[in-house]
C-alpha cells in the first residue's frame, strides 16, 4: 500500500474533521467526517471554500486569519458554532480549531462537542448553585444574629430589672416611706409598661427567628424540588415594623435613630 493510500485511509477513518485550505478559504483537502458536519449547516452546497461553509456561524473567520501575523502556531483553539435544530431537540455544538501549516497553508480540525458543552453547563450550574447556597447561608447567619442579639439583650435587662430607671425610682420611694400611693401606682405602671415592651420585642424577635428558620427549611425544599410558591400582595408595614423593632434597641445603644418614610 502506497503512502497516498495510507493517507486516504487515515482521512476516511479519522473521527475528527480535517480541512486544509489557503488564506482565501479555498479548500484543498477535506475528509468525510468534516463533510458530514459542515454540509448540513452550510448555506452553499459545494465544499469548495471554508469561509463560505461556516459563514452563517463564523462570519469573521477570514478576518481573524488575515489579522494573525505569526508564520506558525494556532490561530484559534476552538471557535464554537451552536446550531439550533428546532423544536425541543438540543442544539448541536461544533468546535473549529485552526493552525498554520506554512505559507498560505492552514489546517482546521472540526469536532462535535455537544456533550462536552452540556457537561460544562451542568458544572457551571452546579457551581452557581453552590455559590448561591454559600451566599444565602452567609446572609442568613447574619440575619439570625440580629434577633438573637435582641433576645439576649432583653433577657439580660430583665435579669437586672432592678437597674431600670423606673425600678430605682420605685425602690427610692419605698425607702422614703412618704410617697403618695398614686405616685407609687404610677411607678409600678411605668415598670409594667417597660417590661411589657421588652417582652413584646422578645416575641417579635422570636417570630423573626422562627421566620428565618422556616426560610432555611424552604431552602432545603427548593433543593429537593418540593417547594411551591404563591405570589400575593402584602402590606409593607407588616414587613418593616418587626425589623424596626429589632434594630431600634441596637441603634439606641449606639446613639442612633432609624427613620422610615413610606411613599404612597
Amino acid at each position: 500500500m502506497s503512502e497516498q493510500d495510507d493517507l486516504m485511509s487515515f482521512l476516511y477513518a479519522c473521527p475528527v474533521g480535517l480541512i486544509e485550505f489557503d488564506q482565501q478559504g479555498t479548500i484543498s483537502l477535506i475528509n468525510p467526517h468534516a463533510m458530514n458536519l459542515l454540509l448540513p449547516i452550510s448555506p452553499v452546497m459545494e465544499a469548495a471554500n471554508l469561509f463560505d461553509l461556516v459563514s452563517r456561524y463564523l462570519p469573521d473567520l477570514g478576518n481573524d486569519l488575515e489579522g494573525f501575523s505569526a508564520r506558525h502556531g494556532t490561530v484559534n483553539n476552538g471557535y464554537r458554532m451552536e446550531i439550533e435544530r428546532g423544536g425541543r431537540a438540543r442544539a448541536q455544538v461544533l468546535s473549529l480549531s485552526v493552525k498554520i501549516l506554512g505559507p498560505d497553508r492552514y489546517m482546521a480540525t472540526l469536532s462535535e462537542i455537544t456533550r462536552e458543552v452540556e457537561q460544562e453547563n451542568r458544572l457551571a450550574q452546579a457551581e452557581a448553585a453552590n455559590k448561591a447556597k454559600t451566599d444565602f447561608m452567609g446572609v442568613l447567619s447574619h440575619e439570625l444574629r440580629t434577633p438573637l442579639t435582641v433576645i439576649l439583650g432583653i433577657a439580660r435587662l430583665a435579669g437586672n430589672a432592678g437597674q431600670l430607671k423606673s425600678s430605682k425610682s420605685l425602690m427610692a420611694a419605698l425607702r422614703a416611706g412618704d410617697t403618695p400611693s398614686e405616685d407609687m401606682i404610677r411607678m409600678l405602671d411605668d415598670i409594667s409598661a417597660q417590661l411589657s415592651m421588652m417582652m413584646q420585642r422578645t416575641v417579635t424577635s422570636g417570630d423573626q427567628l422562627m421566620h428565618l428558620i422556616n426560610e432555611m427549611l424552604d431552602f432545603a425544599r427548593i433543593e429537593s424540588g418540593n417547594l411551591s410558591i404563591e405570589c400575593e400582595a402584602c402590606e409593607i408595614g407588616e414587613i418593616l415594623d418587626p425589623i424596626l423593632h429589632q434594630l431600634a434597641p441596637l441603634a439606641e445603644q449606639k446613639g442612633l435613630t432609624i427613620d422610615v418614610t413610606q411613599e404612597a
Side-chain angles (χ1 to χ4, degrees):
M1 183 179 290
S2 66
E3 292 184 0
Q4 183 68 23
D5 292 334
D6 289 340
L7 176 61
M8 295 304 296
S9 297
F10 168 75
L11 292 175
Y12 272 88
C14 183
V16 176
L18 299 174
I19 309 150
E20 185 177 345
F21 61 100
D22 62 19
Q23 194 164 10
Q24 285 69 47
T26 303
I27 295 174
S28 56
L29 180 150
I30 183 169
N31 72 341
H33 192 71
M35 293 277 288
N36 292 335
L37 292 174
L38 286 176
L39 287 181
I41 67 169
S42 173
V44 297
M45 298 304 296
E46 185 180 4
N49 188 285
L50 178 61
F51 301 159
D52 293 339
L53 290 172
V54 299
S55 60
R56 186 180 299 169
Y57 301 95
L58 300 175
D60 296 325
L61 179 59
N63 294 332
D64 290 348
L65 297 182
E66 187 176 348
F68 192 78
S69 58
R71 294 184 177 182
H72 299 280
T74 301
V75 178
N76 188 286
N77 192 23
Y79 291 101
R80 288 191 174 184
M81 298 181 283
E82 186 171 332
I83 296 96
E84 296 293 339
R85 294 180 174 178
R88 296 184 178 181
R90 65 181 183 180
Q92 181 187 35
V93 183
L94 303 181
S95 174
L96 181 75
S97 299
V98 179
K99 293 186 177 182
I100 300 176
L101 299 180
D104 202 24
R105 289 184 63 214
Y106 299 86
M107 176 62 74
T109 58
L110 184 66
S111 313
E112 181 176 0
I113 58 169
T114 305
R115 291 183 179 179
E116 289 85 345
V117 171
E118 289 177 347
Q119 180 65 17
E120 288 175 4
N121 292 337
R122 283 192 291 269
L123 289 174
Q125 291 172 1
E127 290 175 359
N130 287 333
K131 184 179 184 303
K133 183 192 298 184
T134 301
D135 293 344
F136 174 79
M137 295 306 296
V139 172
L140 189 60
S141 299
H142 177 76
E143 293 298 324
L144 285 171
R145 192 178 295 116
T146 300
L148 278 174
T149 301
V150 173
I151 292 172
L152 291 173
I154 292 175
R156 292 188 181 100
L157 285 174
N160 295 278
Q163 301 301 315
L164 297 175
K165 183 178 180 180
S166 54
S167 298
K168 290 181 178 180
S169 298
L170 178 60
M171 293 299 296
L174 289 172
R175 291 190 181 96
D178 57 356
T179 305
S181 59
E182 293 82 2
D183 291 343
M184 300 281 286
I185 292 172
R186 179 181 54 78
M187 292 178 187
L188 284 171
D189 289 341
D190 289 345
I191 294 174
S192 177
Q194 192 167 2
L195 291 174
S196 177
M197 181 185 66
M198 291 166 61
M199 292 304 102
Q200 182 58 44
R201 286 182 176 177
T202 301
V203 171
T204 301
S205 296
D207 290 340
Q208 178 65 11
L209 193 58
M210 179 63 70
H211 175 73
L212 292 172
I213 292 172
N214 288 334
E215 285 191 345
M216 292 177 65
L217 296 175
D218 287 342
F219 190 83
R221 294 190 188 100
I222 290 173
E223 286 194 314
S224 62
N226 295 323
L227 179 69
S228 59
I229 300 176
E230 295 181 4
C231 295
E232 58 181 26
C234 63
E235 176 59 43
I236 190 66
E238 296 178 357
I239 300 174
L240 291 178
D241 289 346
I243 297 174
L244 292 175
H245 289 151
Q246 289 177 22
L247 296 179
L250 302 177
E252 290 174 3
Q253 293 177 7
K254 297 179 181 292
L256 304 174
T257 57
I258 302 176
D259 295 320
V260 176
T261 302
Q262 181 178 344
E263 297 182 359

